[in-house]
Amino acid sequence: MFKNVLNLFYPKVCLGCKTLLLTNENVICTQCRHEIPLTLHHFNPENEAFKKFYGKIPVEFAMAFVYFHKKELYKS
């Protein structure tokens, strides 16, 4: 009951597009989640993340899940 009253005054909104979140959404909406570009680094052992660290520190495997862009939703 208290949670419903709290959501009335402070509704949960998507961090990406500021629309109201559905019950099963926590931080970003489903549409914004599907727009996040995945790296697919797990398919290539010598990917971009691996190359950034190679020769600087001992690395056996490196990968990132999504790409980082300072001005986009998925930086956080």
Side-chain angles (χ1 to χ4, degrees):
M1 172 83 172
F2 178 71
K3 190 181 253 188
N4 292 336
V5 173
L6 188 62
N7 284 337
L8 182 63
F9 294 104
Y10 300 102
K12 293 173 28 177
V13 296
C14 173
L15 292 178
C17 63
K18 307 298 183 213
T19 60
L20 290 175
L21 293 175
L22 300 175
T23 306
N24 60 340
E25 299 170 334
N26 293 318
V27 179
I28 61 173
C29 67
T30 303
Q31 182 175 350
C32 287
R33 185 172 54 100
H34 287 292
E35 291 177 7
I36 297 174
L38 303 178
T39 63
L40 304 177
H41 283 173
H42 58 284
F43 291 123
N44 179 10
E46 293 186 11
N47 57 57
E48 299 166 50
F50 178 82
K51 290 177 183 176
K52 290 222 186 253
F53 293 107
Y54 186 76
K56 297 176 184 171
I57 60 172
V59 176
E60 290 183 28
F61 183 76
M63 68 171 275
F65 184 64
V66 296
Y67 286 103
F68 174 85
H69 297 283
K70 288 184 180 181
K71 303 218 186 253
E72 299 295 331
L73 156 75
Y74 39 88
K75 71 176 180 179
S76 334

